[in-house]
Amino acid sequence: MIAILWALARLVRRPLGGRGGGTLTVVAHQQLSRGSSVAVVKVADRALVLGVTDAGVSLLADADATLFPEPAPLPNPVEQALKHLRSGRR
């Protein structure tokens, strides 16, 4: 159990932008203080609410994944800059 929580803590701290096709998704992440945060991680049909500190990760709650909708993808800044340049506004 400790190894699983450690692995989840490592995944929560890393950006997942370059990964695709995985069944693990960080739905939300909120920094509470310098060394602590709360993250909602969607795994298949479950949502795990995790407390993340410098000392480790704690499972705060286990919920139905449908309660946490997928966040909208962030806009690509390079794509936005190209669109801006193509529109003729320089």
Side-chain angles (χ1 to χ4, degrees), residues 42-63:
K42 195 182 273 190
V43 181
D45 61 342
R46 295 173 56 195
L48 305 176
V49 181
L50 305 174
V52 183
T53 66
D54 293 334
V57 177
S58 299
L59 178 63
L60 302 177
D62 186 350

Side-chain angles (χ1 to χ4, degrees), residues 19-90:
R19 300 177 188 179
T23 58
L24 179 74
T25 305
V26 178
V27 178
H29 185 261
Q30 179 64 50
Q31 194 75 26
L32 299 176
S33 67
R34 183 175 178 206
S36 65
S37 62
V38 174
V40 178
V41 179
K42 195 182 273 190
V43 181
D45 61 342
R46 295 173 56 195
L48 305 176
V49 181
L50 305 174
V52 183
T53 66
D54 293 334
V57 177
S58 299
L59 178 63
L60 302 177
D62 186 350
D64 184 12
T66 58
L67 296 174
F68 300 93
E70 294 283 335
L74 295 174
N76 183 341
V78 173
E79 190 174 301
Q80 285 184 331
L82 288 173
K83 184 186 288 186
H84 182 72
L85 288 173
R86 288 181 185 144
S87 68
R89 291 181 264 150
R90 294 180 189 198

